[in-house]
Amino acid sequence: MKRNTSLLYTLYGCFGVLLLLSAGCKKRDLSDLEQPSYPTTAEVFIDDFTSDLAYAAFGGSDVRAFQVDNQVVYNNTKASMRIEVPDANSPQGSYAGGVYFSKTGRDLSGYNALTFFVKSTMPATINVVGLGNDLGASQHVVSLSGLTVNSNWKKVIIPVPDPSKLKVEKGLFYYSAAPINGSGYTLWFDEVKFENIPTLANMTGYVRGGNADSLTKAETGDSASMASFRASVNLPTGVNETVDVSPYYFAYTSSDASVATVSENGMVRVIGAGTTVVTATLGGKPATGSLKIISSGTPVMPATAAPVPPARNASDVISLYSNAYTNVPVDTWNTHWQFSTAENSFIKINNDDLIRYRYLNFVGIEFQHPTINITPMRYMHMDIWTPDPTALPNNFKVLLVDFGANGVFGGGDDVQHEITVTAPTLVSNNWVSLDVPLSQFTGLTTRAHVAQLVLSGTVLNVYVDNVYFYKLPTAPATAAPVPTRAASDVLSIFSDTYTNVAGTDFNPNWGQSTITTQEAIAGNNTLHYANFNYQGTQLGSNQDVSSYGFLHLDYYTTNASQLRIFAISPGPVETPYTLTVPTAGWNSVDIPLSAFAPVNLSSIFQFKFDANGATDLPDIYLDNIYFWKIPAVPTVAAPTPTYPAASVISIYSDAYTNVAGTDFFPNWGQSTQYSQVAIAGNNAIKYSNLNYQGIQFGSNQDVSSYQYLHVDYYSADATSLNIYLICPPGSAGGQAPWEKAYALPVPTASGWNSVDIPLSHFTPIVALNNTFQFKFDGGTGSQTIYLDNIVFHQ
């Protein structure tokens, strides 16, 4: 063989292609053409390059590291391949590495090993040597990692796992070698060739690292790899050698292809529900390792996107994840902390971006670079959807962590707080919109350097969208709700709906910093307290409100931390009532006048609002300040019950057939007066001058198979009211009737009250299989109550 001692570098050349075009050519039958044949040349480098051999250096390596050396050779051959591994700081490259490839391809199916001799100037470990790297798809790579060498020639055998795969192979030999302890050295390779070594024995393939793995919570669309891929063989020396191999050497089988399929590169894709086991063979022999897949099939996910957040000013929102707003940088939506099993993916539903979490025990979300200042914000919003059971004790938890001024976790100034969401707020298969006041994160005492959000709980599958912090606009965009109470039941101080007490001063000079104005909000006159610390209201005249039951107030503030209202009588005598702030819109409150005791309700002459010492100087909006009382007579009928008649025993109701012969006014010595009245066309019982009153059933009733006693009741003036269920003497032992009371809240400020009393409340004192009476008491002889729809139901 002619020797060429010059350094050979083959760059990517151009092969000219001649196209012969002939008009009117007869179409040729190609079926009889022979498949092209490729040379079976075994030599890679023995004294020189073969005619089809080329070399290409790896990117970042020293491109001139390889030379042909005719001085240092193995066993008196004429030349070797010399590799100059550079020093770590070499400007020519940080390592030596490249590929020796055939420009045309070779048929190497007759060989079962690549062999060569190697030595070095010093003890060293070559990072990797192998075959099959063709600078393209490289489907038949075999690599031997961590090859130790020294100054003595050493023969190396790299087995070919399945020679039949190498029918057209271009990747003949490749290597990569890095400096040792920062210092370079010299390598020599010689007698590089493919061989057929009959004494190579016990070729064994390994997939999944040789393990019998399981994927037990798979679902349609999941994928997994059969990696890692290895092969081991017993060398002629008796030593077992293991090499990393391409997945294309293996053939794969899924025991149930309707559950999962596997491609020729070992990628498994789940396509349906069920169980399958994926295995492999190498050269027709079973490989060690497998993957068992248990799939639940198509994942359960929302059918619709999360609710679209409202339009907000950019200054009112800090968004972490939402299509509706501009998001701040988030370092990661899954920190993969130790012991976290959570997996996350980003998906779209109806073109809306969501984050899906699976196997959620806990997951860290970090936005440390930079941290965010949520001090001006008032709420945290998050939309969540889960297919999992949500009944108690299941829960979903949200933890916020502030890293403190140093911006470092564990820096000594961290603070955090976690809130828990449970049923009935937490529901399955529906979007749940969480708007959590940041004030509920009581342990988050500073909010200027928030850097972590941690989600956890018992629901393992959660879809998340619209994660942001926000504050409401300082001024309301809509007017306060319009009151609907009859003017005859109202004494108004400030409202467009009613006639107000004349001459009231809404800005008396009490030395306050507050700036008081009256502004039109959506066309409605509204009080505005700006720069608020405290503010008085001087009524035009003293007002006797002792016949009224409540003080109504609509208020709006998004930036107050404390707010109280005082009713004041001469003396002065004043009592505060604390209002919940900040608000998420207009708040409507009806304060029982009893809450202002010991203020003299017959002579109210002032109101006062204050911030209870808070110094934040917020904005307060007020409307519809009036006293009101419950109408003595209901103006609407009680709600019509909808229980199936078959599941009801009715004592009194127009909706059902009642127990015949019932006496609604037995003579028990009471002062109560009884009448039956029509309320909006519906019959109701009226008991006036109530001290107590009985009802005698037309016949004893067995209600032991029923669960509830339903009653609709109405009273404008009662302050105490009880209902008793009674069984006859001896029914539950003893000689006297057995009875037990249930307290009904009065007065009924919102109109008719509907109550469903569990019959278990009356046991074991009352024998439910033999009831015969009701009793009502709590009156002082002057109150009036209205009753309707007294029924037992299942």
Side-chain angles (χ1 to χ4, degrees), residues 422-441:
T422 60
T425 301
L426 187 64
V427 297
S428 303
N429 299 311
N430 282 284
W431 281 106
V432 176
S433 294
L434 303 176
D435 287 280
V436 184
L438 290 175
S439 58
Q440 291 188 11
F441 291 86

Side-chain angles (χ1 to χ4, degrees), residues 95-328:
Y95 72 103
V99 174
Y100 299 85
F101 63 97
S102 169
K103 292 178 286 186
T104 60
R106 298 183 189 181
D107 181 356
L108 302 174
S109 60
Y111 310 103
N112 65 358
L114 169 69
T115 66
F116 56 86
F117 288 87
V118 61
K119 65 177 288 187
S120 65
T121 54
M122 60 180 283
T125 299
I126 303 174
N127 297 82
V128 64
V129 292
L131 62 100
N133 189 328
D134 59 12
L135 301 177
S138 300
Q139 291 189 347
H140 301 122
V141 171
V142 181
S143 59
L144 178 63
S145 301
L147 176 62
T148 58
V149 295
N150 55 33
S151 58
N152 298 314
W153 286 105
K154 171 182 180 180
K155 184 173 183 178
V156 176
I157 299 174
I158 299 178
V160 177
D162 184 355
S164 68
K165 301 288 187 180
L166 306 185
K167 296 285 190 181
V168 186
E169 183 58 52
K170 293 184 178 181
L172 304 181
F173 176 69
Y174 78 96
Y175 74 96
S176 177
I180 301 297
N181 296 324
S183 299
Y185 58 96
T186 303
L187 284 171
W188 288 271
F189 295 101
D190 205 351
E191 298 289 304
V192 183
K193 62 184 178 181
F194 286 86
E195 293 187 61
N196 187 17
I197 303 175
T199 52
L200 289 181
N202 300 324
M203 177 67 72
T204 303
Y206 298 90
V207 294
R208 299 291 299 186
N211 300 313
D213 293 332
S214 295
L215 187 60
T216 60
K217 297 180 180 179
E219 58 189 27
T220 300
D222 285 351
S223 59
S225 174
M226 295 300 289
S228 60
F229 306 96
R230 293 181 287 114
S232 68
V233 68
N234 188 258
L235 299 176
T237 59
V239 174
N240 283 327
E241 182 175 76
T242 299
V243 290
D244 295 308
V245 301
S246 163
Y248 289 93
Y249 281 106
F250 294 88
Y252 305 93
T253 302
S254 172
S255 64
D256 189 340
S258 68
V259 177
T261 60
V262 56
S263 61
E264 60 180 352
N265 67 350
M267 285 303 299
V268 180
R269 184 166 180 80
V270 181
I271 61 173
T275 300
T276 189
V277 178
V278 180
T279 55
T281 59
L282 179 63
K285 298 179 180 179
T288 301
S290 62
L291 178 61
K292 181 179 182 179
I293 295 173
I294 302 174
S295 169
S296 58
T298 303
V300 180
M301 61 179 59
T304 60
V308 178
R312 302 183 190 275
N313 294 328
S315 60
D316 294 335
V317 177
I318 299 175
S319 179
L320 300 181
Y321 190 88
S322 178
N323 286 2
Y325 308 117
T326 300
N327 300 316
V328 300

Side-chain angles (χ1 to χ4, degrees), residues 463-483:
Y463 295 81
V464 175
D465 196 6
N466 300 318
V467 184
Y468 58 87
F469 304 93
Y470 70 98
K471 61 182 179 181
L472 296 173
T474 303
T478 60
V482 177

Side-chain angles (χ1 to χ4, degrees), residues 342-424:
E343 297 178 2
N344 70 299
S345 58
F346 298 91
I347 66 171
K348 283 182 179 290
I349 292 181
N350 296 341
N351 207 36
D352 181 46
D353 293 298
L354 308 177
I355 305 173
R356 183 188 183 198
Y357 288 105
R358 298 168 61 190
Y359 319 134
L360 176 64
N361 58 346
F362 63 91
V363 64
I365 300 161
E366 283 196 342
F367 30 95
Q368 188 177 357
H369 303 95
T371 60
I372 61 174
N373 180 10
I374 63 170
T375 304
M377 302 296 119
R378 291 293 180 263
Y379 301 90
M380 178 182 181
H381 179 92
M382 181 185 298
D383 292 315
I384 62 172
W385 191 101
T386 179
D388 295 348
T390 53
L392 290 169
N394 289 298
N395 59 73
F396 178 77
K397 298 180 180 181
V398 180
L399 172 71
L400 288 175
V401 184
D402 188 297
F403 280 8
N406 59 23
V408 178
F409 178 74
D413 56 353
D414 302 359
V415 292
Q416 64 182 39
H417 191 85
E418 183 175 66
I419 59 105
T420 301
V421 182
T422 60

Side-chain angles (χ1 to χ4, degrees), residues 633-753:
V633 178
T635 58
V636 297
T640 301
T642 58
Y643 312 117
S647 65
V648 166
I649 294 177
S650 179
I651 306 301
Y652 185 90
S653 176
D654 282 358
Y656 305 105
T657 300
N658 300 316
V659 172
T662 297
D663 184 358
F664 295 98
F665 195 52
N667 185 5
W668 291 2
Q670 68 272 22
S671 66
T672 307
Q673 296 177 2
Y674 159 77
S675 62
Q676 181 170 277
V677 295
I679 305 294
N682 187 70
N683 288 318
I685 295 171
K686 177 183 178 182
Y687 288 139
S688 55
N689 298 328
L690 175 73
N691 61 343
Y692 63 89
Q693 179 61 49
I695 295 176
Q696 178 72 49
F697 301 169
S699 57
N700 291 18
Q701 297 297 313
D702 179 0
V703 296
S704 59
S705 63
Y706 294 78
Q707 280 75 51
Y708 299 97
L709 169 63
H710 177 93
V711 180
D712 293 318
Y713 65 101
Y714 180 104
S715 178
D717 55 3
T719 57
S720 175
L721 182 62
N722 303 301
I723 181 173
Y724 297 75
L725 181 61
I726 309 173
C727 64
S731 298
Q735 298 303 309
W738 290 86
E739 63 182 30
K740 185 176 181 181
Y742 183 91
L744 300 172
V746 284
T748 56
S750 57
W752 284 97
N753 272 17

